[in-house]
Amino acid sequence: MKGLSPDGGLFMPELIQQLNDSFFNSISKYSIQEIGIEAAKQFVADEIPKSELKRIVDNAINFDAPLVELDDNISILELFHGPTLAFKDFGARFMARTMSYFLRNSEVEVNILVATSGDTGSAVASGFYGVEGINVYLLYPSGKVSEIQEKQLTTFDKNITALEIDGTFDDCQRLVKAAFVDNEINSEMKLSSANSINIARLIPQSFYYFNAYKQIKDKSKDIYFSIPSGNLGNMTAGLMAKKMGLPITKFIGATNSNSIFTEFIKSGEYSPRPSIETLSNAMDVGAPSNLARIQSLYNEHSIILKDISSNTHNDSQTIEKIKEISKKYNYIIDPHGAVGLLALEQFVNENVIKDYNGIVLETAHPAKFKGTVENALNIEIELPDELKKSVDKEKQSIILSSSFSDFKSYLLQKI
Ligand SMILES: *Cc1c(COP(=O)(O)O)cnc(C)c1O
């Protein structure tokens, strides 16, 4: 329920145990929900009874994550089959149901603050929509999310409020973090977070790494996951899956021109800086919040390098890749997935790897980035029904400056 620990750090499991060999040997018989229960069990321990955990997972993960083969080496893990068409649905839906389980006997309202660069906000809003006892405040950078993303953020009513911040995503994240450590706000209202800093988001994100493994035909070949990365929540969930025993050879952190993580991997130096806008905007992060978790999983930079590689590509390379994939495989990939594919290809080329299982996480449905994909391919993309519904609704947002005092007075007058 607490986003951050009282000292301002991130919560991490003290121990991550390996799952049994028997689980991996018979994984082909497990559904994604059954895999989820196996993976979540050790983190939940006896805080949630088994039958409740099953109900939470079955309800939260009520969609699939298929692995689509492009060729013998490369597959796309489609993580956009949830209601808001991005992988964030896994984390947000699981967290919403877990929180409402813990709040079942509570009289106090919980206020969830979410900084969003686009997809988190709508997944969290959709996951928590109409849940009693929970209010959600979505902070998004004005003018810096796609039109469709903005509609998805601003067309909820009831317990969801969209705050349009005159600033960048990093400003939104800064405001949320400042609220969590502000004594006055915390004495007046109960706050919680739903960003990927919340460990309850990361646990369910490990499920689809196992579920992808299940779908790999030749498991004897090395497995490389390429992860379009921003705040590194997705990467952290994958590393947790590896700790649980999933045989992943290497993770490739794919960054756009916000290449802070790539520089960190290559040099060991962490130099956060303001984010810049790109076509893969959900990865426009200048100070990746989960880096501390990755560092906590490894003692030294040299050990990180055994498991993680990273490289960066810009917008024009992204567009070229979207075109090439459509032509070569007749597959429409979104800008984030395209960055992931570029990173995988660079990695296997540089390391002269010929025969492998390369899995690119396709983090969002291409229709969410309609303009970019349509321009690249000269086609029209049909909006899935869920998106059409939000696009037809009226935008409703509250405009705030990026100063903490404005945000604080807004929150305090809500009590
Ligand atoms: C959030 C998001 C990312 C980045 O994921 P992190 O876990 O923050 O690294 C990548 N692609 C899409 C479409 C996203 O919504």
Side-chain angles (χ1 to χ4, degrees):
M1 304 299 278
K2 287 189 200 143
L4 284 176
S5 85
D7 66 2
L10 303 175
F11 287 112
M12 238 347 230
E14 282 177 17
L15 180 71
I16 299 177
Q17 278 171 328
Q18 290 234 355
L19 304 181
N20 294 334
D21 286 349
S22 65
F23 166 69
F24 290 106
N25 293 336
S26 53
I27 197 165
S28 62
K29 298 196 201 89
Y30 283 70
S31 66
I32 187 168
Q33 294 82 10
E34 288 163 342
I35 286 175
I37 293 165
E38 286 307 306
K41 208 157 73 174
Q42 65 172 304
F43 302 111
V44 167
D46 47 13
E47 299 259 337
I48 302 176
K50 182 97 195 279
S51 60
E52 282 296 322
L53 180 63
K54 178 171 169 14
R55 198 181 53 81
I56 291 169
V57 173
D58 285 351
N59 260 304
I61 317 300
N62 59 353
F63 49 90
D64 205 4
L67 193 62
V68 177
E69 247 177 51
L70 291 188
D71 60 28
D72 286 347
N73 289 321
I74 301 179
S75 304
I76 304 290
L77 182 61
E78 292 184 347
L79 299 176
F80 56 69
H81 294 279
T84 70
L85 312 177
F87 79 87
K88 305 283 195 315
D89 283 324
F90 284 87
R93 292 175 64 81
F94 178 87
M95 181 176 59
R97 282 154 187 80
T98 309
M99 281 188 173
S100 81
Y101 173 75
F102 286 119
L103 286 173
R104 68 200 181 284
N105 301 320
S106 163
E107 307 273 287
V108 193
E109 290 207 327
V110 170
N111 299 282
I112 295 186
L113 306 181
V114 196
T116 180
S117 53
D119 296 320
T120 296
S122 49
V124 169
S126 153
F128 282 98
Y129 184 59
V131 174
E132 294 268 321
I134 298 183
N135 302 311
V136 177
Y137 296 95
L138 306 169
L139 290 79
Y140 74 97
S142 182
K144 295 193 175 60
V145 300
S146 80
E147 218 178 299
I148 292 172
Q149 283 177 320
E150 183 168 42
K151 282 286 186 160
Q152 284 189 295
L153 293 171
T154 56
T155 54
F156 286 97
D157 47 15
K158 293 190 186 161
N159 57 333
I160 316 286
T161 308
L163 303 177
E164 185 173 351
I165 305 296
D166 186 12
T168 61
F169 170 69
D170 294 323
D171 289 320
C172 298
Q173 193 150 264
R174 174 177 51 78
L175 293 177
V176 167
K177 283 190 175 167
F180 281 121
V181 294
D182 185 276
N183 289 334
E184 196 182 347
I185 297 176
N186 285 281
S187 66
E188 299 286 342
M189 57 206 296
K190 190 165 174 171
L191 296 184
S192 187
S193 104
N195 277 104
S196 55
I197 52 175
N198 194 310
I199 191 74
R201 287 248 322 253
L202 298 187
I203 291 167
Q205 284 179 218
S206 70
F207 303 172
Y208 48 73
Y209 287 90
F210 294 100
N211 197 61
Y213 175 75
K214 172 182 92 180
Q215 296 172 74
I216 293 175
K217 288 193 190 124
D218 182 355
K219 295 182 176 40
S220 68
K221 293 194 284 185
D222 282 346
I223 299 172
Y224 304 103
F225 274 97
S226 180
I227 306 168
S229 292
N231 265 320
L232 299 167
N234 223 347
M235 163 87 72
T236 306
L239 295 170
M240 286 168 65
K242 179 163 173 139
K243 277 253 170 196
M244 286 186 253
L246 192 65
I248 300 170
T249 312
K250 203 123 190 165
F251 294 87
I252 302 151
T255 59
N256 61 25
S257 295
N258 295 281
S259 55
I260 292 88
F261 183 64
T262 302
E263 289 153 28
F264 167 75
I265 289 298
K266 292 200 191 301
S267 70
E269 302 286 328
Y270 174 53
S271 323
R273 56 175 175 268
S275 57
I276 52 172
E277 284 175 54
T278 74
L279 296 176
S280 44
N281 63 26
M283 293 151 67
D284 294 350
V285 178
S289 50
N290 283 294
L291 186 63
R293 284 199 164 108
I294 295 178
Q295 287 173 304
S296 86
L297 286 168
Y298 298 90
N299 293 325
E300 288 172 38
H301 189 71
S302 61
I303 308 176
I304 294 184
L305 297 183
K306 286 191 185 140
D307 286 356
I308 305 175
S309 172
S310 178
N311 57 59
T312 171
H313 294 89
N314 63 29
D315 278 352
S316 58
Q317 293 169 304
T318 306
I319 295 284
E320 283 312 306
K321 192 46 70 180
I322 294 173
K323 288 185 184 164
E324 186 198 310
I325 294 307
S326 160
K327 224 166 146 186
K328 199 164 158 191
Y329 302 110
N330 197 22
Y331 185 88
I332 300 179
I333 198 156
D334 98 295
H336 304 79
V339 174
L341 202 50
L342 282 159
L344 175 67
E345 288 173 353
Q346 183 176 339
F347 173 80
V348 293
N349 288 338
E350 281 176 3
N351 293 283
V352 205
I353 300 167
K354 297 280 181 229
D355 206 13
Y356 57 94
N357 290 304
I359 300 177
V360 176
L361 270 53
E362 173 58 323
T363 46
H365 191 292
K368 287 193 96 164
F369 305 92
K370 197 172 183 297
T372 303
V373 177
E374 286 185 342
N375 281 341
L377 300 180
N378 253 318
I379 52 161
E380 230 178 273
I381 295 187
E382 172 88 15
L383 288 184
D385 287 345
E386 293 95 316
L387 277 187
K388 266 192 215 140
K389 275 186 231 146
S390 21
V391 170
D392 291 341
K393 288 190 201 152
E394 188 90 21
K395 165 183 166 182
Q396 283 190 334
S397 70
I398 287 162
I399 298 169
L400 290 177
S401 80
S402 64
S403 89
F404 180 61
S405 59
D406 283 0
F407 179 49
K408 179 169 172 174
S409 31
Y410 172 79
L411 283 180
L412 290 176
Q413 56 86 31
K414 297 299 289 185
I415 322 162

